[in-house]
Amino acid sequence: MADESNTGQISAVAETNAEAKPPTGKKQRSPRRQKTAAEPVRTAAKPAAKIRKYSEPEKSEKLKLIETQVAEGKGTLKEAIKSAGISEQTYYQWKKAAKSADEGDKKPLPAGDELADLVQLEEENQRLRKILAEKLRAENAELRKRLGLD
């Protein structure tokens, strides 16, 4: 038990250590080495593809080529697009543009759902009237033959 209460030696050693080292200022560092000029990191990726502008006839020709390849079963749509030398994104953009151009050839419908429905009904009405008129003319001609008026 005597050893447990014997703290005199430890405190004496701590005091001598504190007295032995006087406080000093910050340690001087040697200057850092300057970095060499960084070279651009070279990646294994392919360089960016050159942007190619296609004319409208070239676009439509490629779209037809892709459609015929898919229709004939010469591969999937992705394979046909790849063989045409364009990206999928480009294909879908061209297809959307071609579709909107085809719709542009038709009569433009007025804005608004109700108005568009009304225009569509008017066109259907005209078509049905023409059909009815043809049938009435045919029946009228047949009736005249029966009665001997012609």
Side-chain angles (χ1 to χ4, degrees):
M1 294 254 174
D3 291 319
E4 291 177 6
S5 62
N6 189 1
T7 57
Q9 288 180 344
I10 296 173
S11 61
V13 171
E15 288 176 13
T16 57
N17 284 343
E19 292 173 9
K21 294 184 179 179
T24 59
K26 288 189 172 181
K27 184 178 175 183
Q28 293 285 330
R29 285 188 171 179
S30 60
R32 286 188 171 180
R33 276 188 356 196
Q34 289 186 353
K35 294 182 178 178
T36 60
E39 293 181 22
V41 179
R42 296 183 186 191
T43 59
K46 297 178 185 175
K50 190 175 183 181
I51 296 177
R52 166 97 162 81
K53 298 279 185 177
Y54 292 94
S55 65
E56 290 301 319
E58 289 175 322
K59 289 178 183 181
S60 62
E61 184 179 315
K62 285 196 182 268
L63 288 174
K64 287 177 185 176
L65 175 72
I66 291 168
E67 289 174 11
T68 55
Q69 284 181 354
V70 172
E72 292 173 357
K74 292 184 179 179
T76 63
L77 178 62
K78 286 185 179 187
E79 292 170 352
I81 292 170
K82 192 174 184 179
S83 70
I86 59 173
S87 69
E88 283 185 61
Q89 229 176 4
T90 302
Y91 168 74
Y92 286 112
Q93 287 174 352
W94 288 359
K95 191 172 178 182
K96 183 179 178 182
K99 185 177 180 183
S100 65
D102 289 344
E103 289 176 358
D105 294 342
K106 296 179 183 176
K107 292 181 183 176
L109 293 177
D113 290 337
E114 294 174 359
L115 198 52
D117 289 342
L118 181 63
V119 169
Q120 187 177 11
L121 286 173
E122 295 268 355
E123 291 173 355
E124 186 178 357
N125 229 359
Q126 289 176 355
R127 183 182 61 84
L128 292 173
R129 283 182 183 161
K130 287 179 184 178
I131 293 171
L132 180 62
E134 286 178 27
K135 286 186 177 181
L136 288 175
R137 279 188 208 117
E139 285 182 12
N140 194 7
E142 186 178 326
L143 186 61
R144 285 182 174 231
K145 283 183 183 178
R146 281 188 194 166
L147 295 175
L149 297 175
D150 280 347

